[in-house]
Amino acid sequence: MVKKKDAFLRACAGKEAEHTPVWFMRQAGRYLPQYRAMRKGRSMVDMYKDPRISSTITTLPVRLLGVDAAILFADIMTPLEAMGFSFSIGAGGPVVKNPLRDAAGLEALRSIDPSDDTGYVMESIRLSKKSLGDAAAMIGFSGAPFTLASYIVEGTLTRDLLTLKRFMHSETELWAGLMTALTRLVSSYAMAQVASGADAIQIFDSWAGALGPEDYEEYVMPYLGRLFKELHRSGAPTIYFSTGTSGMLDLLGEVGADVISVDWRMDIAEAWSRIGCTSIQGNLDPTLMLCDFGTIRKRSMKILNSVAGRPGHIFNLGHGMLPATPVGSAIRLVRLVHEATGA
Ligand code: CP3
């Protein structure tokens, strides 16, 4: 029996594993017919608020694809409802109906008790763990303070984050207040997930690449430092994910996460040595999953050959699985990574 959970956790610690572990961001989503069937007649929010549905979706890719880890089915917006935000999640992503733009908005924020306010998330993790046993690792997750702030201030995702950047530069005290509140939120939400059974925590900073290194260092990194220091006390390994950040690799090495997840805009081995982290995750371009399997194989082997078996590599895409991905290709890719690395 291949020890998948063990392989994933050993890789997080930078230790030699029986094979290179593999999982995919957005592995439980619209490209799966089973997901689309369960989604019929329900909103995404309805789905993640029901622990039975959420844990079924969470564990589905482990059975279907054979991945080494499951990731909680929820959204980065999930904990923000109890904080006082009203939002919906549509095809283009979340839309916040009451974005925060001033001091009154900051004052109105409520602090949350994650095990109570998001009790359904904790229950979903417990149910998922029961179903997974030791077959695969259970990854909990949260949005990073900056990426949460970008939805909170902008209201919805925009190309240039103009409102957010203007707010960050001109309302520096409010920015500090908002980021402090979000850091506290993310920390307590993630800690509660570990207490409920999550084996690792991934922090999604999807829009960090909208900033240049100077702004990232001044307006984002102090909060990440605080967050990862706090999360370390939980004992669970941490993964920091961002995209478009190849211009600040040395800074990524300083945020304090155990694993750094990189996108496809850089060579993974080169990134690994420049970041200087224990473990690295990535980095196949998700659009390659829409190509024939020969192309997927060639580019995946290139990644594996680039890291050359160095302990601490977790194979993943550079960003989320696209809805048009053929499920068969995902199944074959998991098998390829396992077979090419010793399983
Ligand atoms: O499989 C998994 O990865 C676990 C579940 C998960 C979802 N969202 C489910 C989802 C996770 C970890 C997330 C995180 C998330 N949500 C991020 C960070 C990761 C990233 O992709 O950058 C962000 C930015 C969001 C916000 C969000 N939610 C967007 C931009 C979208 C629309 C675009 C898209 O890729 O689907 C969503 C909706 C969403 N989140 C869906 C799912 C399965 C689709 C919902 C549906 O219509 O059924």
Side-chain angles (χ1 to χ4, degrees):
M1 167 78 180
V2 185
K3 294 182 195 132
K4 295 185 165 174
K5 177 176 160 183
D6 186 58
F8 175 83
L9 289 175
R10 289 184 69 81
C12 287
K15 293 182 184 152
E16 199 96 43
E18 277 188 5
H19 62 270
T20 297
V22 49
W23 69 281
F24 305 117
M25 289 177 269
R26 289 289 162 86
Q27 64 186 14
R30 285 165 298 178
Y31 77 108
L32 295 177
Q34 293 90 338
Y35 174 84
R36 291 197 300 272
M38 276 190 273
R39 173 84 161 76
K40 265 205 183 106
R42 295 188 183 99
S43 71
M44 164 156 194
V45 176
D46 291 341
M47 283 167 85
Y48 72 58
K49 281 191 174 175
D50 182 331
R52 274 201 10 248
I53 293 177
S54 157
S55 60
T56 302
I57 300 173
T58 297
T59 53
L60 190 62
V62 172
R63 279 175 278 127
L64 214 61
L65 314 179
V67 285
D68 297 86
I71 182 159
L72 166 73
F73 177 78
D75 197 80
I76 55 165
M77 302 303 286
T78 302
L80 297 181
E81 186 180 337
M83 248 189 150
F85 292 101
S86 164
F87 58 84
S88 59
I89 302 175
V95 181
V96 178
K97 292 171 192 130
N98 53 339
L100 187 154
R101 305 265 166 83
D102 53 24
L106 186 62
E107 267 159 39
L109 289 187
R110 292 194 288 268
S111 63
I112 83 161
D113 173 356
S115 40
D116 186 20
D117 292 314
T118 50
Y120 50 86
V121 165
M122 308 311 152
E123 182 59 13
S124 173
I125 292 175
R126 285 190 287 268
L127 292 177
S128 300
K129 283 285 285 185
K130 221 180 267 172
S131 147
L132 292 172
D134 279 338
M138 175 71 208
I139 305 173
F141 81 90
S142 172
F146 173 77
T147 290
L148 292 177
S150 63
Y151 282 105
I152 286 173
V153 175
E154 288 279 337
T156 186
L157 188 66
T158 64
R159 202 168 48 87
D160 47 14
L161 298 183
L162 182 69
T163 311
L164 175 82
K165 288 188 186 182
R166 207 191 277 148
F167 181 85
M168 191 177 85
H169 286 287
S170 60
E171 305 284 349
T172 45
E173 262 177 49
L174 287 184
W175 177 257
L178 176 59
M179 289 294 279
T180 301
L182 288 173
T183 303
R184 222 175 276 140
L185 168 83
V186 173
S187 168
S188 65
Y189 180 57
M191 293 292 254
Q193 292 184 40
V194 175
S196 305
D199 299 304
I201 293 289
Q202 176 153 323
I203 300 295
F204 285 93
D205 217 350
S206 309
W207 316 134
L211 297 179
E214 258 181 73
D215 287 339
Y216 182 73
E217 202 170 359
E218 180 171 353
Y219 294 108
V220 177
M221 282 184 70
Y223 305 97
L224 288 174
R226 237 180 270 168
L227 174 65
F228 284 112
K229 198 166 163 214
E230 183 71 20
L231 294 185
H232 257 285
R233 299 196 306 133
S234 75
T238 50
I239 309 171
Y240 178 68
F241 163 83
S242 62
T243 68
T245 43
S246 30
M248 43 197 196
L249 293 179
D250 39 341
L251 296 181
L252 297 185
E254 291 170 23
V255 298
D258 300 301
V259 185
I260 300 294
S261 194
V262 293
D263 73 15
W264 62 92
R265 297 170 179 96
M266 53 192 117
D267 176 80
I268 190 164
E270 211 176 296
W272 199 349
S273 72
R274 280 207 39 213
I275 296 168
C277 48
T278 309
S279 306
I280 198 126
Q281 176 171 274
N283 70 340
L284 191 72
D285 182 344
T287 58
L288 282 172
M289 293 303 288
L290 311 184
C291 300
D292 65 284
F293 196 74
T295 306
I296 299 173
R297 181 191 293 117
K298 193 172 94 198
R299 302 299 287 274
S300 301
M301 288 308 298
K302 202 168 163 225
I303 292 170
L304 291 173
N305 291 333
S306 173
V307 298
R310 179 175 164 189
H313 177 218
I314 299 167
F315 192 98
N316 206 319
L317 305 178
H319 203 164
M321 191 82 91
L322 297 165
T325 304
V327 183
S329 297
I331 295 172
R332 288 180 75 182
L333 178 53
V334 171
R335 207 181 299 143
L336 173 73
V337 173
H338 283 164
E339 286 176 3
T341 61

